[in-house]
Amino acid sequence: MKKTLFYLLSIVAFGQVQAQKDFQGMAVYESKTQAPKLEGMRGGNRDITPEMQKSIEERMKQILEKTFILNFDKSASIYKEEEKLENPGQQGGGMRIMMNSMMGGGGTFYKDVKAKKYIVDKEFMGKEFLVVDSLPKLNWKLEQETKQIGGYTCYKATAVREASKADFRNFRPKKEEDKKEDAKKETSEKTTNFEDNFEMPKEITVTAWYSPEIPVNQGPENYWGLPGLILEVNDGKTVILCSKIVLNAKEKVAIKAPTNGKEVTQKEYEEIVIKKMEEFREMNRGRGGNMGPTMIRR
């Protein structure tokens, strides 16, 4: 009798271990970034009319709204933008590629929370890169405040992270007093440029909502490290909100790291992007504005 009981308990224990090993989930996230107001952009470019400016802002808004899929298990995850078919004749392809590169966009974002590293394949200016680096360690402050997201009880957590200079989403509008101070320094030869109305902060405060009911320390993009799946992230400009969760589906997804591209660190990749952005800015300064008609109509 004892042997039989021991045998049954062993089967149950093995089943629980196996279930944990095979545990997998899928979460759908809707990402929305506030499109910047292009006020002042027309200062050095008389070809841009108010109607064109409004059209550009609307197009940017569409580009800044994305859907992502996160497939995860206990130790790793892949986060990738949902592929959408563009309408025939849809304009803005060149602008979409450029902005996606400047917004931290990439192919597959792989996180291994056990090894504390990430790998993401990115395409920038026609070149493929494979960014390999350590996962950023955020000092999360756990709060008692709760709310419901998709039927799951979520808890609030906040953290301060360093702003990536290569991520367009991190730009913030300058305060009016800073604009006035900059205007005093301007010379008669300097034109008004789009980037003159914005600045890159050194740090950004992030608010996240996580659910201990899904016991994995995963989340969208490079967010991780909380005692439950992160279902919402808000950094003041970008909101990433989970709209659907599926746990332990019959069909499993292979969670594998991408392998294509020239291997670089995050710092090396950011230096490449910043250098190209500066070259692009200087090129357009020579044309008398920050964003010429050629780029807008692509």
Side-chain angles (χ1 to χ4, degrees):
M1 182 67 180
K2 290 183 179 180
K3 290 184 178 180
T4 302
L5 180 61
F6 176 78
Y7 178 71
L8 291 174
L9 291 174
S10 298
I11 293 177
V12 172
F14 177 78
Q16 290 177 339
V17 172
Q18 195 66 24
Q20 288 183 348
K21 181 180 179 181
D22 295 337
F23 172 81
Q24 191 176 105
M26 183 274 291
V28 179
Y29 291 88
E30 307 296 335
S31 174
K32 294 184 179 182
T33 299
Q34 294 178 16
K37 298 294 183 182
L38 305 186
E39 298 162 355
M41 185 182 94
R42 298 172 56 225
N45 195 334
R46 300 181 184 276
D47 293 329
I48 301 178
T49 65
E51 291 75 19
M52 290 176 64
Q53 181 172 315
K54 184 177 180 181
S55 176
I56 295 168
E57 289 180 352
E58 183 61 32
R59 195 177 305 163
M60 289 176 66
K61 179 182 177 182
Q62 294 175 359
I63 293 173
L64 294 169
E65 294 181 355
K66 299 171 177 287
T67 300
F68 291 88
I69 306 296
L70 177 73
N71 287 286
F72 58 90
D73 58 26
K74 286 287 186 178
S75 61
S77 67
I78 50 175
Y79 183 72
K80 190 173 183 179
E81 183 179 356
E82 183 181 54
E83 295 182 2
K84 295 180 180 179
L85 294 176
E86 294 191 2
N87 297 327
Q90 184 175 355
Q91 296 181 345
M95 187 178 182
R96 180 181 294 274
I97 294 172
M98 170 67 74
M99 290 194 64
N100 190 53
S101 299
M102 294 169 63
M103 285 166 32
T108 300
F109 197 118
Y110 172 85
K111 289 198 302 288
D112 185 336
V113 296
K114 190 175 182 179
K116 294 183 175 57
K117 73 171 185 178
Y118 70 92
I119 302 173
V120 55
D121 55 341
K122 293 176 177 286
E123 182 179 346
F124 183 69
M125 295 294 188
K127 295 183 179 180
E128 293 185 354
F129 297 93
L130 191 68
V131 182
V132 181
D133 218 318
S134 300
L135 280 170
K137 176 63 176 177
L138 294 180
N139 294 318
W140 292 106
K141 180 182 178 182
L142 305 185
E143 311 280 357
Q144 294 299 315
E145 187 178 347
T146 65
K147 72 175 181 178
Q148 293 287 315
I149 299 179
Y152 291 91
T153 299
C154 296
Y155 290 82
K156 183 180 180 180
T158 57
V160 176
R161 67 171 175 82
E162 183 179 355
S164 169
K165 295 181 180 180
D167 192 336
F168 179 81
R169 296 172 300 177
N170 292 331
F171 280 103
R172 300 298 193 262
K174 282 186 178 179
K175 297 179 180 178
E176 287 302 321
E177 53 266 32
D178 293 333
K179 289 183 182 180
K180 292 178 181 179
E181 187 65 28
D182 291 342
K184 295 178 182 178
K185 300 176 183 178
E186 290 182 354
T187 66
S188 58
E189 298 179 356
K190 185 177 179 181
T191 59
T192 302
N193 290 276
F194 168 65
E195 68 270 18
D196 294 332
N197 292 320
F198 295 85
E199 62 184 354
M200 176 67 73
K202 293 182 179 180
E203 296 179 331
I204 292 175
T205 299
V206 178
T207 299
W209 295 86
Y210 67 96
S211 177
E213 296 172 29
I214 308 174
V216 295
N217 58 350
Q218 291 281 356
E221 293 190 0
N222 59 352
Y223 293 107
W224 71 291
L226 286 169
L229 180 66
I230 299 173
L231 300 187
E232 181 180 337
V233 175
N234 188 331
D235 70 0
K237 287 281 288 184
T238 298
V239 177
I240 306 174
L241 177 63
C242 181
S243 60
K244 181 181 179 181
I245 296 176
V246 178
L247 300 178
N248 292 321
K250 291 182 179 180
E251 294 186 9
K252 301 296 182 182
V253 175
I255 300 178
K256 295 182 179 180
T259 56
N260 295 330
K262 178 184 177 182
E263 185 170 325
V264 293
T265 63
Q266 182 66 36
K267 183 179 179 181
E268 290 171 338
Y269 177 75
E270 290 185 1
E271 289 174 349
I272 293 170
V273 173
I274 292 170
K275 182 179 179 181
K276 289 298 181 182
M277 288 172 66
E278 290 176 347
E279 290 175 358
F280 182 80
R281 179 181 59 186
E282 292 303 318
M283 178 180 67
N284 282 277
R285 278 185 188 275
R287 294 176 182 171
N290 181 66
M291 194 178 291
T294 304
M295 177 182 174
I296 295 167
R297 292 168 187 157
R298 285 178 185 171

